[in-house]
Amino acid sequence: MVDLFLDRVLVKNNWDQDQLNTEREITGILENRILMLFFASAECGKCQDFLPVLNDFFKKLKDPAHIEYPKLLTLVYVSLDQSEEQQDRFLKELNKLILFVAFEDPYRKELRAMFKVSDVPTVIVLRPDGSLLSPNAVQDICRQGSDCFQDWQESAELIERTFMFNEEYDNLNPRSATDPVRRLKYKTEDDKRKKRWWKFWGKNGKDGYDEEEEKDGDWDSKRKDGEHGLWRRR
């Protein structure tokens, strides 16, 4: 997903409209995050109606004033406005933590063609690896609010470790009871890690434990028989 904006320029929606244009800056803001591409226009009535819903959604997930640990999520506004004045007017109503593509940047049109956006508002959701998670999440956001982020997070197999203790992460089961439905909806791949986990325990379960005990017993017998200088390796 980082590749989508490498050698490109993203602009912060803050007072100074700081530009992010180096590989380090782009990687830092996009790597290991779910990316939302918001296509809209200031002249679109539906976009205006959706705007406060999106702002509330984003605020609950990213604003430090509302959440202790902001989520691994990035929102980029791609304007389909006819003038820069229209874009600026729309940006004033958007959350200040979002990013946007500058009006004069031709990459706006390339992104629209790349994702075949024909209607607004449209929210494209991408996994950290750049694969498509949702072709338009507008309805999900309207119906579920910020709760739908958990669906995206689990489907993308995105685990936030920054605030977890080691033992919590080791015992983590990243699946929920509704995971089969979610994985079907977002068409995810088979859970290869789960298969490897079962394969590992199939080979190294109780039989492996018994075998280890037998090895320990053999070593103890040899020690009793006077064989010295042997070192047991684990």
Side-chain angles (χ1 to χ4, degrees):
M1 182 190 65
V2 174
D3 296 341
L4 190 64
F5 287 100
L6 281 181
D7 300 322
R8 304 290 180 175
V9 178
L10 287 173
V11 186
K12 292 183 177 181
N13 191 33
N14 55 16
W15 180 264
D16 297 323
Q17 294 195 343
D18 301 316
Q19 293 187 350
L20 305 175
N21 53 18
T22 68
E23 180 176 349
R24 181 178 180 179
E25 289 174 328
I26 295 296
T27 300
I29 201 69
L30 295 180
E31 189 174 39
N32 194 38
R33 283 170 169 78
I34 289 176
L35 174 63
M36 299 170 62
L37 299 177
F38 176 40
F39 294 84
S41 169
E43 297 300 303
C44 167
K46 291 189 297 182
C47 297
Q48 292 290 346
D49 292 339
F50 177 64
L51 185 57
V53 178
L54 180 65
N55 278 336
D56 184 68
F57 168 89
F58 192 72
K59 176 180 65 178
K60 290 179 178 178
L61 294 171
K62 292 292 293 184
D63 194 334
H66 292 81
I67 184 170
E68 185 176 3
Y69 300 105
K71 300 298 182 180
L72 298 177
L73 176 69
T74 299
L75 174 60
V76 176
Y77 173 55
V78 184
S79 168
L80 300 185
D81 292 301
Q82 299 301 313
S83 68
E84 188 170 5
E85 289 75 18
Q86 290 178 351
Q87 174 177 294
D88 290 342
R89 188 167 72 249
F90 201 75
L91 284 170
K92 288 180 181 179
E93 301 181 51
L94 274 169
N95 191 288
K96 300 308 176 185
L97 297 177
I98 70 126
L99 306 173
F100 66 93
V101 181
F103 182 81
E104 66 274 9
D105 192 339
Y107 196 47
R108 290 189 306 117
K109 296 181 179 179
E110 293 181 35
L111 287 169
R112 179 180 184 178
M114 185 185 307
F115 293 101
K116 301 178 180 179
V117 176
S118 59
D119 191 21
V120 289
T122 292
V123 177
I124 305 289
V125 184
L126 301 175
R127 296 183 181 88
D129 63 4
S131 60
L132 184 65
L133 184 57
S134 175
N136 193 353
V138 170
Q139 290 188 0
D140 287 343
I141 294 172
C142 290
R143 292 172 180 172
Q144 300 177 326
S146 58
D147 291 340
C148 67
F149 178 78
Q150 183 179 353
D151 295 353
W152 302 345
Q153 186 177 35
E154 294 186 8
S155 181
E157 300 183 351
L158 181 66
I159 301 174
E160 301 179 49
R161 301 186 60 182
T162 54
F163 60 91
M164 300 176 65
F165 296 108
N166 291 334
E167 60 269 19
E168 290 177 334
Y169 179 76
D170 292 338
N171 296 324
L172 179 66
N173 179 6
R175 305 291 176 210
S176 70
T178 59
D179 183 64
V181 177
R182 180 179 300 109
R183 296 178 68 83
L184 179 61
K185 175 179 178 181
Y186 293 108
K187 299 180 181 179
T188 59
E189 297 179 358
D190 291 337
D191 192 345
K192 296 180 180 179
R193 292 186 303 172
K194 187 174 181 180
K195 289 183 178 180
R196 289 199 297 267
W197 187 85
W198 281 109
K199 185 177 180 182
F200 170 81
W201 280 102
K203 291 183 177 180
N204 301 278
K206 188 177 185 305
D207 294 340
Y209 178 76
D210 293 340
E211 182 180 350
E212 183 68 20
E213 286 186 333
E214 292 176 1
K215 290 181 180 179
D216 292 347
D218 293 342
W219 185 83
D220 291 338
S221 299
K222 291 180 180 180
R223 185 177 61 180
K224 292 179 181 180
D225 293 339
E227 293 184 7
H228 302 290
L230 295 175
W231 291 84
R232 178 175 53 170
R233 298 181 61 185
R234 292 264 180 194

